Amino acid sequence: MRPNCLYLVVPCYNEEELLLITADKLKEKMTRLMNEGKISADSKVLFVNDGSKDRTWELIHSVYKKDKLFGGLSFSRNYGHQSAILAGMLTAREKADMVITIDADLQQDIEALDDFIACYQDGCEIVYGVRNSRNTDGVFKKESAGLFYKLMNLMGCEVITNHADYRLMSKKALDALSEYKEVNLFLRGLIPQMGFKSDIVYFDVKARELGQSKYTLKKMINLAMNGITSMSTVPLKLIGFLGIIMCVFGGCVMISALFDWIRGVTVQGWTTNVVLLCLIGGMIMLSQWIVGEYVGKIYMEVKERPRYIIEAFVLDEGCTEGDEAVSDEGAV
Ligand code: UDP
Ligand code: MG
């Protein structure tokens, strides 16, 4: 049986300190997998430069020039981790039987690649990498991640706890993913919803060797917000629920006030008024914000803008090195 063609997709944002080290490690691992007959000789490592401001793209280009194992895509600007892996996967699906996404800092154990491939050979179309522990994370990241997964499950989103984006997808699964045209993409929620035969591979997480986390607090909050609002409408339903509670509460206050009036008790009432005013005002504003989040998402979706713009693409000898900008529709 012919070994399957694997494409490793590696998103990179300002990873100049690590890129060459990562490329060396991936080459060693890919060569070993090829020699063991687990993957075909035309398998590749595809770096996606997510609009880095440092020398990341130059370095990707230099490893591509030296070794045809490597290829690269470059975005016209920073579109974010989710868009980078999507672009890499959709580009790779044209050529590969299976695609695995992995972070450029290789915090995720590359030795788990063998298990991913074994699951694929057993007939799985999607294989999720799940981290064994969060010991390498700081207290804030650990707690916020825990809260995020709890919140997502509460909102009815099917996310796999402690699965980031270390994942294998077969060509069949990627063809299905390419049918999803939404701009606000939350892959960790979307992919488990797609079905297909899937499995989990557990792996250890290492500390980042060099450089700092590229997931700033702002990016993490955006991801979490996008995750909830693109996968669930529960927050909108909560507004209705809050409204009912406020109506019941308001009704009770009204009855009590009427009784006081009938009994001729003169109620000062100022505190009650102010408290109710603040409470109701706050709730209305909060509700407006939640509705606004969804309206904003709809606004972005109806414009149908490209999800990313690929400015340059290098892969193997036959491939062109594009200077032209192409959208995700015509990326490859
Ligand atoms: N990344 C990206 N675009 C971004 C932020 C991050 O492509 O806007 C990449 C980054 O280069 C890395 C991966 O996403 O390959 C995960 O980022 P990082 O390791 O900084 O996140 P952490 O492990 O701290 O969650
Ligand atoms: Mg990392």
Side-chain angles (χ1 to χ4, degrees):
M1 202 178 67
R2 185 188 81 89
N4 298 110
C5 176
L6 167 72
Y7 267 50
L8 270 187
V9 167
V10 190
C12 306
Y13 178 58
N14 294 343
E15 297 286 6
E16 63 179 4
E17 295 112 321
L18 271 174
L19 203 113
L20 296 180
I21 303 172
T22 297
D24 278 349
K25 286 187 186 162
L26 290 179
K27 183 179 163 69
E28 199 192 317
K29 182 67 191 170
M30 292 290 276
T31 314
R32 215 177 326 139
L33 289 171
M34 283 176 198
N35 292 340
E36 288 168 2
K38 291 183 177 168
I39 57 171
S40 65
D42 58 347
S43 297
K44 301 258 179 250
V45 174
L46 187 66
F47 289 109
V48 183
N49 172 37
D50 182 14
S52 300
K53 293 180 183 71
D54 63 2
R55 291 173 53 245
T56 300
W57 179 239
E58 272 171 66
L59 295 175
I60 293 173
H61 209 270
S62 75
V63 291
Y64 154 76
K65 284 275 180 210
K66 263 195 239 140
D67 196 323
K68 296 299 173 228
L69 171 71
F70 299 106
L73 288 181
S74 187
F75 280 175
S76 58
R77 67 163 171 87
N78 180 238
Y79 279 94
H81 176 235
Q82 297 284 292
S83 299
I85 53 180
L86 180 75
M89 290 194 298
L90 294 186
T91 303
R93 104 192 137 103
E94 308 280 329
K95 311 170 192 285
D97 299 312
M98 52 187 167
V99 177
I100 299 179
T101 46
I102 185 165
D103 289 350
D105 52 13
L106 298 189
Q107 282 190 275
Q108 297 136 326
D109 184 12
I110 48 171
E111 293 311 318
L113 289 180
D114 300 69
D115 298 338
F116 278 96
I117 297 165
C119 289
Y120 173 80
Q121 278 159 355
D122 282 348
C124 290
E125 305 290 345
I126 305 174
V127 187
Y128 301 98
V130 171
R131 50 200 294 170
N132 280 326
S133 74
R134 287 200 159 265
N135 294 342
T136 50
D137 283 349
V139 180
F140 178 72
K141 188 131 190 172
K142 210 188 235 168
E143 294 304 321
S144 57
L147 188 75
F148 172 66
Y149 289 114
K150 272 196 203 120
L151 204 66
M152 287 300 284
N153 284 321
L154 217 77
M155 298 285 163
C157 310
E158 199 188 327
V159 283
I160 296 165
T161 307
N162 287 339
H163 159 67
D165 288 287
Y166 191 18
R167 182 192 310 113
L168 177 145
M169 291 185 80
S170 69
K171 182 172 164 41
K172 196 199 269 181
L174 286 171
D175 284 345
L177 182 68
S178 71
E179 296 296 318
Y180 288 76
K181 302 293 182 202
E182 55 209 75
V183 176
N184 297 290
L185 208 66
F186 182 65
L187 293 169
R188 289 176 217 178
L190 199 64
I191 294 172
Q193 273 195 353
M194 287 170 47
F196 290 116
K197 184 173 180 217
S198 59
D199 206 344
I200 286 178
V201 161
Y202 291 92
F203 66 91
D204 291 322
V205 181
K206 287 178 263 171
R208 194 178 240 275
E209 280 178 30
L210 286 168
Q212 285 184 339
S213 172
K214 307 299 178 292
Y215 254 100
T216 54
L217 182 63
K218 190 173 155 218
K219 282 189 182 189
M220 275 191 327
I221 293 173
N222 271 342
L223 182 76
M225 288 285 290
N226 203 17
I228 292 169
T229 50
S230 68
M231 300 301 300
S232 166
T233 51
V234 172
L236 288 176
K237 294 189 182 113
L238 277 181
I239 295 177
F241 182 67
L242 271 181
I244 292 170
I245 292 181
M246 281 311 291
C247 283
V248 173
F249 179 66
C252 294
V253 173
M254 193 179 74
I255 291 166
S256 133
L258 279 176
F259 265 113
D260 285 345
W261 179 67
I262 290 165
R263 283 191 294 136
V265 183
T266 46
V267 181
Q268 295 295 308
W270 188 82
T271 319
T272 326
N273 267 330
V274 169
V275 168
L276 280 180
L277 208 71
C278 292
L279 205 67
I280 295 171
M283 284 208 176
I284 290 173
M285 276 201 249
L286 187 78
S287 312
Q288 291 278 349
W289 169 58
I290 296 175
V291 175
E293 280 291 321
Y294 283 90
V295 173
K297 288 262 147 50
I298 299 166
Y299 181 56
M300 295 314 285
E301 294 291 346
V302 293
K303 284 201 257 200
E304 289 187 32
R305 287 183 179 168
R307 289 178 285 195
Y308 44 78
I309 297 172
I310 297 174
E311 199 182 357
F313 174 42
V314 287
L315 186 77
D316 227 336
E317 297 184 272
C319 296
T320 47
E321 196 176 317
D323 288 329
E324 263 167 81
V326 279
S327 75
D328 61 331
E329 302 300 329
V332 192

